[in-house]
Amino acid sequence: MKTLHNGDKSQPHIKQFQSSHWFVELLFGVMGALVLTLIVAVSINDASANDKNDKSDISDISDTSDKSGISDKSGISDKSGISDAALIQVGTADMSLLWLDIYSAKLFSIDGKYQANRFPMTLDIQYHRDIDAIDLVDATIEQWQHLGFTEANIALYRQQLVNAWPDVKEGDRLTFRVNTPEDAAFLLNDTPYYQVSNAQFPEAFLDIWLSEKTSRPELRNQLIGVN
């Protein structure tokens, strides 16, 4: 009887333990479900954010491409579609002062022949010395003064020069491509650099080398293919 009595007293403790164990399992199960739900929600949010970033990056790249085209800081565009590959070299000449080599120049036209103010035309200059932009601007203005340009016109063209002339290093190539008087651009080492915005500027700039009044008639003759 004593043993049976002791056994009866232990039953409530066993039932209580079993009840508590069930409750703990239920609690852990609910917590596990909540954690899993939270992880899934975070993953979905991260995926959504990454998708938006990807779209934003694509949009940015697209916008940049649309705005730049083949343009540079000034929005250069090749309206005619004529490239240097389609032009033929007319002549070449070297510019020197005393014993110093300054640059080599090449002139290109559509048929390899020079005709004044017939476009497209390209003047390509490769520099053999480092020259600051301000020195190039001053030298260009001096040539315009030699050609008899009015001070008003020089002042008008000067702003184009300030934007068009970079500091050049030995080996740099500056190309002036004229498709039409309204579509002319400077390229630095084959990279678009500045789009001219004045229709009179191309002729004025080329006159420095190609005008019959140029200060370097021998260089002109070499460029236009006159022996």
Side-chain angles (χ1 to χ4, degrees):
M1 294 297 293
K2 187 179 292 186
T3 302
L4 180 60
H5 181 70
N6 289 339
D8 291 339
K9 288 184 177 180
S10 65
Q11 293 299 320
H13 294 287
I14 294 173
K15 291 180 179 179
Q16 184 178 0
F17 174 76
Q18 291 175 341
S19 177
S20 298
H21 181 69
W22 172 84
F23 179 74
V24 171
E25 288 183 346
L26 177 61
L27 182 61
F28 274 105
V30 172
M31 291 180 63
L34 290 174
V35 171
L36 180 60
T37 301
L38 181 61
I39 292 173
V40 172
V42 171
S43 298
I44 291 174
N45 287 336
D46 288 343
S48 177
N50 290 335
D51 183 58
K52 289 181 180 179
N53 289 335
D54 291 342
K55 290 181 179 179
S56 177
D57 291 341
I58 293 173
S59 176
D60 290 342
I61 293 172
S62 177
D63 289 344
T64 302
S65 300
D66 291 343
K67 292 178 181 177
S68 63
I70 63 165
S71 67
D72 66 331
K73 65 178 184 178
S74 302
I76 296 176
S77 61
D78 190 352
K79 298 177 183 177
S80 71
I82 297 174
S83 64
D84 287 338
L87 301 182
I88 301 173
Q89 181 174 306
V90 178
T92 181
D94 295 317
M95 173 66 179
S96 300
L97 289 176
L98 299 178
W99 62 88
L100 299 177
D101 293 331
I102 307 302
Y103 63 77
S104 297
K106 297 178 181 179
L107 184 68
F108 297 83
S109 73
I110 194 68
D111 58 1
K113 299 178 181 179
Y114 171 70
Q115 182 175 328
N117 301 322
R118 184 186 63 167
F119 304 109
M121 187 184 300
T122 293
L123 178 68
D124 187 88
I125 302 174
Q126 182 167 24
Y127 289 89
H128 303 311
R129 305 182 61 81
D130 296 354
I131 306 178
D132 291 338
I134 187 61
D135 293 331
L136 292 171
V137 171
D138 290 343
T140 304
I141 290 175
E142 287 178 3
Q143 292 301 312
W144 281 336
Q145 291 171 339
H146 170 82
L147 292 171
F149 283 34
T150 66
E151 291 301 320
N153 282 337
I154 291 176
L156 184 64
Y157 301 148
R158 186 182 186 281
Q159 187 57 47
Q160 301 284 320
L161 281 179
V162 170
N163 292 322
W165 280 123
D167 295 328
V168 296
K169 303 295 183 182
E170 181 179 357
D172 279 348
R173 287 176 53 242
L174 190 70
T175 304
F176 187 50
R177 178 188 296 166
V178 185
N179 295 319
T180 69
E182 293 77 22
D183 179 21
F186 285 89
L187 295 84
L188 180 62
N189 297 323
D190 296 321
T191 300
Y193 187 81
Y194 179 72
Q195 181 79 36
V196 174
S197 59
N198 183 297
Q200 285 74 47
F201 181 87
E203 181 181 349
F205 186 77
L206 291 173
D207 274 352
I208 294 172
W209 292 269
L210 304 179
S211 170
E212 293 180 354
K213 298 179 181 179
T214 180
S215 65
R216 299 281 177 173
E218 291 183 3
L219 188 146
R220 173 185 182 269
N221 289 340
Q222 293 173 350
L223 280 176
I224 66 176
V226 175
N227 296 326

